[in-house]
Amino acid sequence: MIEVKNLVKKYGEQVAVDHLDFRLEPGRIYGFLGPNGAGKSTTMNMMTGYLGATEGTIEINGHDILKEPEAAKRHIGYLPEIPPLYTDMTVSEYLYFAAELKGIAKKEWEKAVQEVMQAVRLEEVQMRLIRNLSKGYRQRVGLAQALLGFPEILILDEPMVGLDPKQIIEIRELIRGLGNKHTVILSSHILAEVREICDYILIISRGKLVAGDTPENLEHLLNGQNTLELEAKAGLEETRDILKKVPEIIRAQIERTEEGTAFAKVHTEPAGRNGLGKKTDVREKIFFAFSEAACPLLLLKPSKASLEEVFMQLTQGGEQIQETGSDASFSMKEEEGSEVSSVQEEGTEASFVQEEEGTEASFIQEEGQLEGSGIKGEKKEGGR
């Protein structure tokens, strides 16, 4: 078990890690996520005793990493982002050398080295020079040295960086297998891989822990925003006009698909209850609205947030970042009592905001490319 309390790391006035608190239980695979400079590697280096903390404590199975470093490090196997390999050695020579450095009894070297080579499938290359191995096999050698002595805790910093898809699959399977007998902590920028491998995810931003939960529960953080996705066999204007008839819809972004249909992401008010006390479902109203317009509805489902969306939401302060040149549509509600307008990118996307009951929504179209992530709607001149 690892327990981190009030952990701080400063470089002069720069705060790299800002009062982290978390507890990692045995027998799980944990993922550390965060943008570059978030403090992931610094935290891992402090957990292994490579760096000292400015404030706070780290306990490894009850041993303080600074006060009892040797006792604490016996429980840890560490693979840095760049594996510490001696490329002039063969795989076998390097692992025997690592076993000696780790203080494993000499009579147990043979057994320990053979066990880790078998665990990470290195038997076929054990007599080859490390310099002649592919990057994937070098990562395996790094994993093997971390496994020597079979510590309860494995800390892996970016174990899949720079690997090709085949090598990623191989390392992923190795890590999954290690998770059956070890507590594994890994950092990665490959969100899909973290989603596949990890039981629990910690998201760090600007040195602070901003979220910690299972991948499924993290995705549910954004799923509670009452968002639906739909696809209709209709044009942009027709789809927009139909959706305007549903008062529960707050706003919608509509775009044309390659098949010529309209795809919309619709944001609705929370589900309420009708006069009989039964819970209402806005999907029914949307379905009947398209039915009355004799417009085929091809898709209607709740929108599920991806781990990537959760990551961006938590690390960018909820600000959506669009790639240059991609389609973008923005709408923003103005001050209370004023008109609400929308911006539509010419020929690609439509967007509207529905006002509260009893008022109208106004619409404008703007030509040209939209840039940025905070374009406010403009009042339409000359009335609504």
Side-chain angles (χ1 to χ4, degrees), residues 73 132 208 214-215 252 269 274 307 314 316 329 348 364 370:
K73 290 177 183 179
N132 296 330
K208 295 182 178 181
T214 64
E269 295 176 348
N274 61 20
L307 185 58
L314 294 173
Q316 301 294 335
S329 179
T348 57
I364 65 172
L370 300 177

Side-chain angles (χ1 to χ4, degrees), residues 260-285:
T261 60
F263 177 83
K265 182 166 284 192
V266 177
H267 304 268
T268 68
E269 295 176 348
R273 296 185 180 274
N274 61 20
L276 300 176
K278 294 183 178 180
K279 192 173 182 179
T280 60
D281 191 340
V282 71
R283 290 177 297 179
E284 296 178 8
K285 294 187 177 183

Side-chain angles (χ1 to χ4, degrees), residues 130-311:
I130 293 174
R131 73 154 69 99
N132 296 330
L133 298 179
S134 68
K135 185 169 179 59
Y137 269 106
R138 292 189 186 196
Q139 287 292 88
R140 292 191 190 198
V141 176
L143 272 175
Q145 68 79 23
L147 269 174
L148 276 169
F150 285 88
E152 299 99 315
I153 299 164
L154 292 175
I155 299 177
L156 315 176
D157 192 0
E158 299 281 358
M160 290 169 283
V161 67
L163 302 182
D164 64 36
K166 182 176 182 295
Q167 293 168 339
I168 287 175
I169 292 172
E170 292 172 350
I171 298 298
R172 179 205 303 167
E173 291 175 352
L174 284 175
I175 293 173
R176 275 184 183 152
L178 295 173
N180 295 327
K181 297 180 180 179
H182 305 266
T183 299
V184 181
I185 305 154
L186 65 91
S187 68
S188 178
H189 291 297
I190 307 174
L191 301 183
E193 292 305 319
V194 172
R195 177 71 171 81
E196 286 290 322
I197 298 172
C198 298
D199 305 313
Y200 198 93
I201 296 175
L202 302 169
I203 299 180
I204 298 176
S205 180
R206 300 179 182 90
K208 295 182 178 181
L209 183 66
V210 295
D213 212 325
T214 64
E216 295 79 10
N217 287 343
L218 285 175
E219 289 171 350
H220 290 331
L221 287 175
L222 293 186
N223 292 340
Q225 295 186 349
N226 306 295
T227 304
L228 300 173
E229 294 178 359
L230 66 85
E231 184 179 357
K233 196 172 183 180
L236 298 182
E237 294 297 323
E238 184 181 5
T239 302
R240 185 197 67 177
D241 292 339
I242 294 172
L243 291 175
K244 283 173 60 180
K245 298 176 182 178
V246 182
E248 288 83 359
I249 293 177
I250 301 171
R251 65 185 183 276
Q253 294 85 39
I254 311 165
E255 61 183 9
R256 189 180 301 282
T257 68
E258 294 180 357
E259 293 78 17
T261 60
F263 177 83
K265 182 166 284 192
V266 177
H267 304 268
T268 68
E269 295 176 348
R273 296 185 180 274
N274 61 20
L276 300 176
K278 294 183 178 180
K279 192 173 182 179
T280 60
D281 191 340
V282 71
R283 290 177 297 179
E284 296 178 8
K285 294 187 177 183
I286 293 174
F287 172 82
F288 286 119
F290 278 89
S291 178
E292 290 172 3
C295 181
L297 195 58
L298 307 178
L299 171 73
L300 180 60
K301 66 175 185 178
S303 177
K304 184 178 181 181
S306 66
L307 185 58
E308 286 81 1
E309 290 173 315
V310 175
F311 178 80

Side-chain angles (χ1 to χ4, degrees), residues 84-86 89-104 109 112-113 116 141-142 144-149:
L85 305 178
Y86 291 90
M89 291 182 174
T90 66
V91 172
S92 179
E93 289 171 342
Y94 172 74
L95 292 177
Y96 277 102
F97 175 64
E100 182 178 3
L101 290 179
K102 285 196 168 189
I104 298 174
W109 288 358
V113 169
V116 296
V141 176
Q145 68 79 23
L147 269 174
L148 276 169

Side-chain angles (χ1 to χ4, degrees), residues 57-100:
T57 60
I58 300 173
E59 291 188 359
I60 311 293
N61 286 351
H63 302 285
D64 189 300
I65 192 68
L66 293 181
K67 296 179 180 178
E68 306 172 82
E70 290 188 9
K73 290 177 183 179
R74 288 194 187 100
H75 301 278
I76 297 174
Y78 179 43
L79 174 63
E81 182 176 349
I82 301 174
L85 305 178
Y86 291 90
T87 58
D88 290 334
M89 291 182 174
T90 66
V91 172
S92 179
E93 289 171 342
Y94 172 74
L95 292 177
Y96 277 102
F97 175 64
E100 182 178 3

